[in-house]
Amino acid sequence: MMFERIAPEQHDTLDGVPEPAENPHLYGHEQAVSMLTAAYRAGKLPHALIFAGPVGIGKATLAFHLASYLLRHPDHRNAPEAFVAPDPGSAQFRQVASGAHPGVLHLTRPQNDKTKGFKTVVTVDEIRKVSRFLSMTSHDGSYRVVIVDPADDMNVNAANALLKNLEEPPARTLFILIVHAPGNLLPTIRSRCQTIRLTPLDDASLLSALAGTDQLAPDEPQARAALVERAGGSVRGAILLTQYGGLDIADALDKAVSGGRTGIADAHKLADVVAGRDSAIQFEIFNRRALDLLAESAADAARSSELARANALADAWQDAQNAISETETYNLDKKQHVLAMIDRLNAAMRM
């Protein structure tokens, strides 16, 4: 069956892969679902939630499934103990997916009219939509749900504007903040939300999720095992690895980092592949693998009680993250970024 996209394109949209708003399938996170439905059925659902966890594990999909659950069961006393998969043919599903439902507001990075791409942050103008959204009376007394995805991307003005909305929310309003790194949020925002930490998908859920998006894993057992290990429980990570040359990019980066001076030619070759005009996703894959290498090395050092090295690698990870953000924010030369990142990795690995 041909996939029909009805959700607006996002800054991280992948061809042929449903957006969270239009994905009728939710894989994993059973414990979180059970906790959320129990709280709602008891009339004790918090007014603000943080769904925290790695990129691509289904945090936003969970948020939209929770929104669907609340809209379908406005009386908490009659709500079921589990989510029921939404019907893609229903009017409610299509309204939510297309961004037209009066009870759901989805805020993310807006389009950049100058570049025809997307801005690098969730802007204050996006957050200002919350006040207008909440000022409209719900037609049937059901919940209104605000989903900020990802909340990590809010700039300072946007974060402060959201904080005002969180301080005195109207009744039957739920804020859901999708967060990859909770430490990036203002402490005052974190203190007004209940954090639900979501874990990477197990192997079976990951492979089921891949099949559910028609992105098939390799048939060969060794290649499939390598994909599962590299993906780290992230469906998005697995799709990037299989459909966008991610495994080759990761292998090439590993080779460039371990090659020392003999890796210079490999580094330039890799930079040409991931820093081209139409290589935004490949550039994302490269940066993610670079961060993973530093994080894995820091974790190994900590397990070996090499605390000074672990701290140095953690600092290198933060420096790398800052370099990625600056390159995206200021549209810096991507090839130079790639070559500098490989140098940074080589230096860090030799600490």
Side-chain angles (χ1 to χ4, degrees), residues 148-274:
V148 186
D149 172 28
D152 310 62
D153 288 350
M154 289 188 296
N155 61 20
V156 174
N157 289 338
N160 285 324
L162 180 65
L163 183 60
K164 292 179 181 178
N165 292 121
L166 290 173
E167 284 172 346
E168 294 183 11
R172 298 181 70 74
T173 298
L174 175 63
F175 289 86
I176 307 176
L177 311 188
I178 309 301
V179 179
H180 309 317
N184 292 340
L185 285 182
L186 292 176
T188 43
I189 288 181
R190 293 201 306 271
S191 69
R192 285 167 172 77
C193 304
Q194 179 176 328
T195 297
I196 297 179
R197 298 191 179 276
L198 301 173
T199 56
L201 299 182
D202 60 35
D203 295 357
S205 295
L206 176 66
L207 293 172
S208 295
L210 272 182
T213 58
D214 294 329
Q215 311 290 318
L216 299 180
D219 290 329
E220 200 273 313
Q222 190 171 353
R224 179 181 291 237
L227 170 64
V228 169
E229 182 180 358
R230 275 271 169 85
S234 166
V235 181
R236 180 179 178 83
I239 293 171
L240 294 179
L241 289 169
T242 55
Q243 305 300 315
Y244 293 88
L247 286 172
D248 292 337
I249 292 169
D251 287 341
L253 178 56
D254 293 356
K255 183 179 178 183
V257 169
S258 63
R261 292 192 61 81
T262 61
I264 293 175
D266 292 328
H268 279 268
K269 188 184 298 183
L270 176 57
D272 288 336
V273 169
V274 305

Side-chain angles (χ1 to χ4, degrees), residues 81-329:
E81 294 182 7
F83 290 174
V84 176
D87 175 10
S90 70
Q92 184 192 97
F93 180 90
R94 297 184 70 84
Q95 276 189 309
V96 171
S98 63
H101 196 286
V104 180
L105 178 64
H106 180 215
L107 302 177
T108 185
R109 294 190 201 174
Q111 285 193 300
N112 187 326
D113 294 333
K114 293 180 180 178
T115 66
K116 305 305 178 186
F118 290 86
K119 294 187 177 181
T120 58
V121 295
V122 177
T123 61
V124 67
D125 286 340
E126 288 298 292
I127 301 301
R128 283 177 180 147
K129 295 177 182 178
V130 174
S131 296
R132 295 195 294 273
F133 172 70
L134 296 182
S135 68
M136 297 182 287
T137 303
S138 175
H139 69 286
D140 60 356
S142 62
Y143 259 81
R144 285 167 296 179
V145 182
V146 179
I147 300 171
V148 186
D149 172 28
D152 310 62
D153 288 350
M154 289 188 296
N155 61 20
V156 174
N157 289 338
N160 285 324
L162 180 65
L163 183 60
K164 292 179 181 178
N165 292 121
L166 290 173
E167 284 172 346
E168 294 183 11
R172 298 181 70 74
T173 298
L174 175 63
F175 289 86
I176 307 176
L177 311 188
I178 309 301
V179 179
H180 309 317
N184 292 340
L185 285 182
L186 292 176
T188 43
I189 288 181
R190 293 201 306 271
S191 69
R192 285 167 172 77
C193 304
Q194 179 176 328
T195 297
I196 297 179
R197 298 191 179 276
L198 301 173
T199 56
L201 299 182
D202 60 35
D203 295 357
S205 295
L206 176 66
L207 293 172
S208 295
L210 272 182
T213 58
D214 294 329
Q215 311 290 318
L216 299 180
D219 290 329
E220 200 273 313
Q222 190 171 353
R224 179 181 291 237
L227 170 64
V228 169
E229 182 180 358
R230 275 271 169 85
S234 166
V235 181
R236 180 179 178 83
I239 293 171
L240 294 179
L241 289 169
T242 55
Q243 305 300 315
Y244 293 88
L247 286 172
D248 292 337
I249 292 169
D251 287 341
L253 178 56
D254 293 356
K255 183 179 178 183
V257 169
S258 63
R261 292 192 61 81
T262 61
I264 293 175
D266 292 328
H268 279 268
K269 188 184 298 183
L270 176 57
D272 288 336
V273 169
V274 305
R277 182 182 296 273
D278 298 318
S279 302
I281 292 176
Q282 286 77 8
F283 188 66
E284 176 190 341
I285 294 168
F286 168 85
N287 284 321
R288 181 169 298 170
R289 179 58 185 162
L291 293 174
D292 285 347
L293 282 171
L294 290 169
E296 290 164 7
S297 297
D300 288 342
R303 281 192 291 268
S304 301
S305 298
E306 301 174 64
L307 299 186
R309 184 167 186 268
N311 288 333
L313 285 163
D315 290 342
W317 184 95
Q318 189 60 60
D319 290 343
Q321 179 67 69
N322 292 340
I324 293 167
S325 297
E326 289 172 4
T327 299
E328 292 180 344
T329 301

